[in-house]
């Protein structure tokens, strides 16, 4: 059970967390590996099997193991210091340094009693500074570490020379100590550097993602401002003018309010177009984007079958959202290595399958808001969505949208206003809203976006009959398609009167 718990916790970690944990574990294992190999090997034949040499060798082994314990305790803090997370407390090096000096003293005593051969001595000299320098190499610059390594070589050589070591064995102490320090420098330091670079890249990706979201919000905000800013300013001005005219008992006030109503409806249409364009997803673009993102994350992604060409726009948009959500889930959940996206088109349905081999160790609770949103989108097209484990350790997501044999009726599913064959709601021109010279939508009863049938009754724009003036109403609707600038050239007599009234209002205020 404990092994299963370790395995589950390991699988729940992200890739970057796994690399970090593996690097830390490797650095902690290195001193134990050297101590158990280089420190134990001389006991077989190099140390004289007499009480004093064996006692000195055993004491030296215990000191080496104690150094490994302190090294493991300090390596975590040293790595945090190297990564810039926290400062390393210098007092932690007092214990390892004292053990290093004690080990050199025991080694010198072993040499003084002639209790070890030259080959075994060089192995013990090689292992003596390992545990200490593994921590030290992460705390100081490379140049400082090299200077300290030379000082350690001088110290080791001087201690052993004082113990009576001469000739070739004494000369061999220098390269043996230098090799140990260099081995630590070329193994531990690059591992910590690689870990630092990968964490910086991970942080950069997070920052880039947040900046992309912020930029998209700004872009959407700019679009909304461009769409609503001018129209709201015109609505405010014409409403104020209508109030002034109504207070004076002028009939032109009704004309101004009809114009306000027309501009408000045109603004509503433009906002819907902005939101629809903001939320639409293209299947071909999403397939290419999913392949690029997954391959960049080291996941082999294959797209087979129909690419979606020839499918109606609503079907492509819905399947594009499925591909986007599926790629996001592959990256966020589990640890996939391969992902396959298949699109099959038949006479009566189109089916999208997304399979990956990164089944999460612990399934997420519930279906998530992403899958719920996809089911809502597919439900609008009478489609379905299924997600779950499949045979062979795979996770499969299947989206299906039915198609009629005579072709998918685009006008029945969120058809855009003014599309060919789509009847305009609320009266108006069958082919769509009439455009005014200023680019506004046409008559108040003109075509509205196809999604109006999904709105609440109170949110739907009024129909032509509802906007029809009562008998005797002098406002009429002849001026519905007039330009917003009612004082411009070519405006009718009523608009010229309104312009004169507005000019009089401004003059009176002055």
């Amino acid at each position: 059970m404990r092994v299963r718990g370790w395995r589950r916790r390991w699988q729940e970690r992200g890739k970057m967390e796994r690399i970090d944990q593996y690097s830390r574990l490797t650095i902690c294992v290195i001193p134990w590996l050297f101590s158990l190999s280089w420190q134990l090997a001389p006991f077989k034949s190099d140390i004289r099997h007499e009480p004093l040499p064996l006692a000195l060798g055993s004491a030296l082994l215990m000191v080496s193991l104690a150094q490994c314990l302190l090294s493991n305790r300090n390596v975590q803090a040293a790595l945090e210091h190297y990564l810039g997370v926290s400062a390393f407390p210098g007092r932690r090096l007092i214990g390892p340094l004292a053990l290093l000096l004690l080990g050199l003293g025991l080694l010198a005593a072993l040499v003084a009693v002639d209790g070890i051969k030259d080959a075994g001595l060089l192995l013990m000299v090689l292992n003596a500074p390992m545990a200490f320098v593994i921590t030290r190499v992460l705390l100081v610059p490379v140049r400082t570490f090299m200077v300290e390594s030379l000082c350690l070589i001088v110290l080791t050589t001087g201690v052993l020379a004082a113990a009576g070591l001469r000739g070739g064995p004494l000369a061999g102490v220098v390269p043996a100590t230098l090799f140990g320090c260099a081995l630590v420098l070329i193994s531990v330091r690059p591992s910590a550097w690689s870990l630092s670079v990968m964490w910086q890249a991970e942080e950069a990706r997070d920052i880039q993602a947040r900046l992309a979201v912020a930029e998209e919000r700004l872009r959407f905000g700019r679009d909304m401002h461009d769409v609503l800013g001018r129209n709201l300013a015109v609505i405010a001005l014409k409403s104020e003018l209508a109030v002034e005219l109504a207070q004076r008992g002028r009939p032109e006030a009704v004309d101004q309010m009809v114009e306000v109503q027309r501009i408000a409806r045109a603004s509503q249409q433009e906002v819907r177009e902005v939101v629809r364009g903001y939320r639409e997803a293209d299947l071909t673009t999403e397939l290419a984007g999913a392949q690029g993102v997954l391959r960049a994350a080291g996941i082999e992604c294959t797209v087979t079958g129909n690419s979606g060409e020839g499918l109606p726009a609503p079907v492509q948009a819905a399947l594009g959202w499925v591909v986007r959500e599926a790629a996001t889930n592959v990256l966020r959940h589990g640890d996939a290595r391969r992902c396959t996206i298949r699109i099959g088109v038949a006479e009566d349905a189109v089916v999208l399958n997304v399979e990956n081999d990164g089944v999460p160790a612990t399934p997420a609770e519930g279906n998530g808001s992403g899958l719920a949103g996809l089911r809502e989108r597919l439900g609008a097209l009478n489609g379905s969505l299924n997600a779950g484990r499949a045979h062979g350790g795979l996770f499969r997501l299947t989206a299906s949208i039915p198609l009629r044999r005579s072709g998918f009726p685009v006008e029945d599913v969120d058809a855009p206003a003014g599309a060919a064959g789509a009847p305009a709601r609320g009266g108006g021109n069958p082919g769509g809203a009439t455009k005014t010279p200023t680019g506004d939508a046409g008559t108040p009863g003109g075509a509205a976006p196809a999604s109006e049938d999904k709105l609440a009754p109170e949110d739907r724009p009024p129909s032509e009959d509802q906007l029809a003036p009562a008998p005797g109403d002098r406002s009429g609707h002849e001026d519905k398609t007039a330009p917003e600038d009612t004082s411009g050239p070519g405006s009718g007599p009523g608009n010229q009167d309104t312009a004169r009234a507005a000019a009089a209002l401004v003059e009176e205020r002055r």
Side-chain angles (χ1 to χ4, degrees):
M1 295 299 294
R2 181 175 299 180
V3 174
R4 290 183 179 178
W6 290 344
R7 183 173 180 271
R8 183 173 63 254
R9 287 193 295 271
W10 174 260
Q11 291 180 343
E12 290 174 353
R13 295 176 181 268
K15 291 183 178 180
M16 192 60 222
E17 293 176 341
R18 293 184 188 181
I19 295 174
D20 182 272
Q21 188 67 24
Y22 174 79
S23 301
R24 293 173 185 267
L25 182 62
T26 302
I27 295 175
C28 291
V29 167
I30 288 176
W32 293 95
L33 181 63
F34 291 158
S35 294
L36 295 178
S37 58
W38 295 346
Q39 203 73 29
L40 283 176
F43 278 89
K44 183 177 181 180
S45 58
D46 293 327
I47 295 180
R48 254 186 324 119
H49 290 187
E50 294 182 3
L52 183 58
L54 289 176
L56 291 174
S58 299
L60 187 58
L61 177 61
M62 297 304 296
V63 169
S64 179
L65 295 179
Q67 283 183 296
C68 292
L69 288 174
L70 291 180
S71 175
N72 289 167
R73 176 174 175 267
N74 292 335
V75 157
Q76 302 298 331
L79 275 173
E80 298 297 329
H81 176 88
Y82 183 85
L83 296 175
V85 177
S86 61
F88 183 85
R91 62 180 182 277
R92 283 194 175 187
L93 290 178
I94 297 176
L97 182 60
L99 289 177
L100 174 61
L101 297 177
L102 178 59
L104 291 178
L106 291 174
L107 193 59
L110 196 59
V111 171
V113 299
D114 195 21
I116 187 171
K117 296 180 180 179
D118 295 342
L121 175 63
L122 293 180
L123 281 178
M124 288 189 169
V125 167
L126 188 64
N127 177 70
M130 277 292 179
F132 177 78
V133 297
I134 284 178
T135 302
R136 190 63 182 169
V137 75
L138 297 173
L139 301 177
V140 297
V142 175
R143 183 176 300 178
T144 303
F145 179 77
M146 295 176 66
V147 173
E148 292 179 354
S149 299
L150 294 177
C151 295
L152 182 60
I153 292 172
V154 172
L155 176 63
T156 305
T157 305
V159 170
L160 295 180
L165 189 65
R166 298 289 184 273
L170 182 61
V173 170
V174 175
T177 308
L178 181 61
F179 176 77
C181 295
L183 183 62
V184 171
L185 180 62
I186 64 176
S187 59
V188 176
R189 185 87 178 194
S191 298
W193 175 77
S194 301
L195 197 61
S196 173
V197 170
M198 285 186 289
W199 275 119
Q200 291 176 3
E202 187 75 11
E203 293 175 358
R205 282 194 291 268
D206 292 341
I207 294 174
Q208 184 178 9
R210 288 195 295 267
L211 289 176
V213 172
E215 183 179 356
E216 183 63 17
R217 288 175 178 172
L218 291 175
R219 185 197 68 81
F220 186 68
R222 288 194 300 267
D223 290 348
M224 294 297 293
H225 176 269
D226 294 342
V227 168
L228 292 179
R230 178 180 61 87
N231 289 352
L232 290 177
V234 174
I235 288 174
L237 177 62
K238 287 184 176 293
S239 300
E240 185 178 2
L241 178 58
V243 170
E244 295 290 344
L245 292 174
Q247 290 177 349
R248 295 171 180 270
R250 301 289 297 275
E252 291 87 352
V254 179
D255 295 333
Q256 292 302 313
M257 291 311 299
V258 171
E259 187 70 11
V260 167
Q261 186 183 49
R262 183 189 65 79
I263 298 174
R265 181 171 299 174
S267 300
Q268 186 182 33
Q269 169 71 14
E270 291 176 0
V271 169
R272 286 171 177 161
E273 291 176 355
V274 170
V275 173
R276 185 183 296 115
Y278 176 75
R279 298 176 64 184
E280 281 183 353
D282 180 69
L283 179 57
T284 304
T285 303
E286 294 301 331
L287 288 173
Q291 279 187 299
V293 170
L294 294 178
R295 287 175 180 173
I299 302 173
E300 180 184 351
C301 181
T302 305
V303 178
T304 60
N306 193 301
S307 63
E309 296 181 358
L311 292 175
V315 176
Q316 289 200 37
L319 295 181
W321 281 107
V322 174
V323 172
R324 178 183 297 187
E325 180 67 20
T328 302
N329 289 339
V330 170
L331 291 174
R332 292 177 57 188
H333 308 295
D335 185 17
R337 293 181 175 85
R338 290 181 298 276
C339 179
T340 303
I341 303 175
R342 290 191 296 271
I343 302 177
V345 180
E347 293 184 0
D348 56 347
V350 54
V351 180
L352 169 67
N353 285 319
V354 182
E355 293 181 351
N356 70 88
D357 58 356
V359 181
T362 56
E365 298 181 358
N367 293 329
S369 58
L371 296 182
L374 292 181
R375 287 191 174 93
E376 292 178 2
R377 293 178 184 275
L378 296 176
L381 306 178
N382 298 323
S384 62
L385 180 73
N386 296 312
R389 297 172 182 262
H391 296 291
L394 300 177
F395 186 86
R396 178 180 301 159
L397 185 145
T398 303
S400 176
I401 299 177
L403 301 175
R404 297 180 182 176
R405 292 182 180 273
S406 58
F408 191 89
V410 179
E411 60 272 15
D412 289 348
V413 184
D414 200 18
R425 293 182 176 86
N429 297 332
T434 303
K435 296 294 181 178
T436 65
T438 57
D440 291 331
T443 64
S451 59
E452 287 178 7
D453 54 355
K454 303 177 184 177
L455 297 176
E458 61 271 15
D459 294 333
R460 298 180 184 176
S463 63
E464 184 76 19
D465 296 336
Q466 294 172 332
L467 293 176
D473 189 348
R474 301 171 58 182
S475 62
H477 288 268
E478 296 83 0
D479 195 41
K480 295 177 197 173
T481 58
E484 290 176 15
D485 186 4
T486 58
S487 62
S491 57
N495 287 336
Q496 293 176 0
D497 294 339
T498 302
R500 285 194 295 270
L505 175 62
V506 174
E507 185 66 25
E508 179 180 347
R509 288 185 178 179
R510 290 179 180 176

